Amino acid sequence: MEALVERLEQAVVRLEAVAIKLQNCPGGLVNGDISSMINGGESESMEAFNHLLSGPVSEYLKTSTAIGGDVAKHAEMVNNALQVQRAFLKMAMTHQEPAKTEMAYLLRPLSDQIQEVQNFREKKRGSSLFNHLSAVSESIPALGWVAVCQKPGPYVKEMNDAAIFYTNRVLKDYKDTDPSHVEWVNSYLSIWTELQTYIKEHHTTGLIWSKTGPVAPLSLFGAPSDVTCPPPPPPPGPPPVFLDNNPKSDDTAAQHSALFAQLNQGEAITKGLKHVSDKQKTHKNPNLRSQWGRTHQASPAKSQNPSSSACAPAKKHSPVLELEGKKWRVEHQEQSHDLVIEETELRQVVYVFSCSNSTLQIKGKVNSIIMDNCKKLGLVFDSVVGIVEIINSRDIQLQVMGKVPTISINKTEGCHVYLSKDSLDCEIVSAKSSEMNVLVPEGEDDYVSLFTLKISTNRATITFHFNNNFLDTLYHGTTITVFHSSGLTCFTFKREGKSVISRKF
């Protein structure tokens, strides 16, 4: 009996608290809000989402601030997008699901936040932290799970996998030099892991809306004062007045009879046609063709203004060779064969973009080198700590004077790589490239071709030669990884993640 009395007292206290809140809200509350008050605050679903924000998201913001720069700015944008999603989930608790046409208005703030995150990555393509920005940009669409009708969890996992492709690059670049970047990767990926768990527990088959509250409004944060609903359509006009001008039934029958009489004439139906002589035919009278051409010429205004139809010439950018923070920018260089970067540091990155018919020499040791959209470019460098990456280029010559651990060649046609004696243990990874040649030193001043690789277009045939020995023929999409160590050469062919051939010499 005492326990029952205690429970009744607790219920009275909670009802009194609800009554006080109702008095402070003259506009009244909907059923969902009253239910939320009686249950002691926000629902378990919102508490779980708040735990996501205070846990993995907070840790991600902390590690991003530690790295600073573009990563910190990007993290603030991600946090804003998550706060917008929190407001969306909170509204769904107390409102019924709107029509599909109105849902687009509700999702617009979230869509704008996602677009802002992706646009930031596109504006920072030359950033030394581009892999960090790409990992976030490729996975941020996972916040669109609220619009997925059935099983949104796998959709979030798919976006998480897209981020892993770039986070693996981050780990490869910084795992031995800066552990803060490793912590950043772990904290960021944990956001999507926790979000998958949250969806599985609270929204397994899609976002759950309230069944008792009002229909959701058109705007997530309330419509502005100057926005009003469109006026109702005007009333329909008076019905058209049809005049009785239809022919009588007798006249209709007479017309039908006349029509069939004409159709039954046979060959006589063509007697009324006018004969056209050869002089009146343009294909037999050259004079008529010339007259017709003059009458159909373009007007003088159009002919005198060819610039209106011609494409505007491409804008020519000024060449750039400068140090921006920790990044060397070499851009839009043409016919320049004396480009030299001398004062280098271990943490600096060299980004070469849209250069043609030029030669660049990099002295000292740098962190990494990226060559993008270049043509007929020669690159000579001493040593690189991380990776040398060649993307979307043609006719490239690359010479290593010191040591480099990894060379990546992607979407490139024609690439000659000259390795030094200290870089024979270099790992060369190639994808969607053709006409590659790797040369190693022989003697003091001579190089010998280690292998030659040629790929055709459609059903690509890869011909791989090593010391004039034919190895194999593979298909398009094959990735070839070459290892050299202590005079031992190992070639590993991979296709769709499975090793096809592995040979040692």
Side-chain angles (χ1 to χ4, degrees), residues 188-494:
Y188 180 70
L189 293 181
S190 65
I191 294 177
W192 307 123
T193 304
E194 291 294 330
L195 182 60
Q196 292 178 57
T197 304
Y198 167 79
I199 294 173
K200 184 177 180 181
E201 293 179 357
H202 302 283
H203 305 279
T204 307
T205 58
L207 180 62
I208 298 177
W209 293 79
S210 173
K211 298 184 181 300
T212 58
V215 179
L218 290 178
S219 177
L220 180 60
F221 299 102
S225 58
D226 58 344
V227 177
T228 58
C229 296
V241 179
F242 296 99
L243 300 177
D244 190 11
N245 293 329
N246 295 329
K248 298 180 180 180
S249 57
D250 296 339
D251 297 338
T252 304
Q255 291 179 356
H256 289 174
S257 300
L259 176 61
F260 284 113
Q262 291 180 356
L263 294 176
N264 292 330
Q265 291 180 12
E267 295 181 356
I269 195 172
T270 60
K271 289 182 178 181
L273 298 179
K274 182 181 178 181
H275 177 70
V276 180
S277 63
D278 293 341
K279 294 182 179 181
Q280 296 175 325
K281 299 177 182 178
T282 56
H283 66 283
K284 290 187 177 181
N285 190 348
N287 295 329
L288 290 179
R289 286 200 300 270
S290 61
Q291 294 176 4
W292 182 88
R294 287 195 299 267
T295 57
H296 288 78
Q297 286 181 351
S299 61
K302 293 183 179 180
S303 60
Q304 293 175 4
N305 189 16
S307 61
S308 60
S309 59
C311 296
K315 182 180 179 181
K316 188 173 182 180
H317 301 273
S318 58
V320 177
L321 176 57
E322 63 180 6
L323 177 62
E324 187 180 86
K326 297 180 181 180
K327 180 182 65 176
W328 281 97
R329 292 177 53 200
V330 185
E331 300 177 0
H332 309 294
Q333 298 285 347
E334 296 183 5
Q335 301 292 341
S336 300
H337 298 282
D338 56 351
L339 302 174
V340 180
I341 298 177
E342 295 181 343
E343 299 178 359
T344 58
E345 297 180 2
L346 188 61
R347 290 177 174 266
Q348 291 179 350
V349 176
V350 180
Y351 180 69
V352 186
F353 176 74
S354 189
C355 296
S356 62
N357 298 308
S358 301
T359 303
L360 172 64
Q361 183 180 4
I362 304 174
K363 297 182 179 181
K365 184 182 292 186
V366 295
N367 185 278
S368 62
I369 301 174
I370 301 175
M371 189 183 304
D372 187 6
N373 195 25
C374 295
K375 182 179 180 182
K376 294 183 179 181
L377 179 67
L379 175 64
V380 182
F381 63 91
D382 290 346
S383 297
V384 172
V385 178
I387 186 174
V388 176
E389 189 170 2
I390 305 173
I391 311 171
N392 298 325
S393 299
R394 295 182 60 185
D395 301 330
I396 302 299
Q397 293 191 11
L398 184 71
Q399 183 173 3
V400 187
M401 306 301 296
K403 190 175 179 63
V404 58
T406 306
I407 298 177
S408 175
I409 306 173
N410 297 322
K411 299 180 180 179
T412 298
E413 297 180 7
C415 183
H416 297 269
V417 180
Y418 296 83
L419 299 176
S420 64
K421 293 182 179 180
D422 296 334
S423 59
L424 292 180
D425 58 347
C426 169
E427 178 182 355
I428 302 177
V429 182
S430 172
K432 297 182 180 180
S433 301
S434 63
E435 301 179 13
M436 293 176 290
N437 192 10
V438 176
L439 301 97
V440 295
E442 185 180 46
E444 295 183 357
D445 300 325
D446 194 13
Y447 283 85
V448 62
S449 177
L450 179 65
F451 72 84
T452 303
L453 177 65
K454 292 184 178 180
I455 305 178
S456 58
T457 53
N458 295 330
R459 184 175 179 180
T461 300
I462 300 178
T463 305
F464 193 97
H465 293 274
F466 174 79
N467 287 346
N468 297 325
N469 293 328
F470 175 76
L471 290 186
D472 210 326
T473 300
L474 302 176
Y475 292 102
H476 185 63
T478 303
T479 301
I480 300 176
T481 309
V482 185
F483 302 89
H484 311 281
S485 178
S486 313
L488 177 66
T489 305
C490 175
F491 300 88
T492 302
F493 300 79
K494 293 183 179 180

Side-chain angles (χ1 to χ4, degrees), residues 89-122:
L89 294 174
K90 193 171 183 180
M91 183 200 62
M93 288 175 48
T94 57
H95 292 77
Q96 297 183 32
E97 183 177 5
K100 292 183 179 180
T101 55
E102 299 176 356
M103 180 68 75
Y105 294 98
L106 285 175
L107 293 174
R108 182 173 297 174
L110 182 60
S111 177
D112 292 342
Q113 293 293 332
I114 294 175
Q115 190 66 34
E116 182 181 4
V117 173
Q118 294 179 330
N119 290 340
F120 185 81
R121 189 274 296 263
E122 296 300 326

Side-chain angles (χ1 to χ4, degrees), residues 136-203:
V136 176
S137 177
E138 293 295 329
S139 55
I140 194 65
L143 296 181
W145 69 269
V146 293
V148 179
C149 298
Q150 295 181 354
K151 296 182 179 180
Y155 170 75
V156 177
K157 184 180 183 302
E158 183 180 350
M159 297 297 103
N160 185 40
D161 294 340
I164 292 177
F165 175 81
Y166 291 97
T167 55
N168 287 341
R169 291 187 173 186
V170 176
L171 295 176
K172 186 175 182 180
D173 293 341
Y174 295 96
K175 64 180 179 182
D176 297 329
T177 58
D178 194 344
S180 63
H181 293 265
V182 179
E183 296 176 0
W184 179 88
V185 170
N186 296 331
S187 63
Y188 180 70
L189 293 181
S190 65
I191 294 177
W192 307 123
T193 304
E194 291 294 330
L195 182 60
Q196 292 178 57
T197 304
Y198 167 79
I199 294 173
K200 184 177 180 181
E201 293 179 357
H202 302 283
H203 305 279

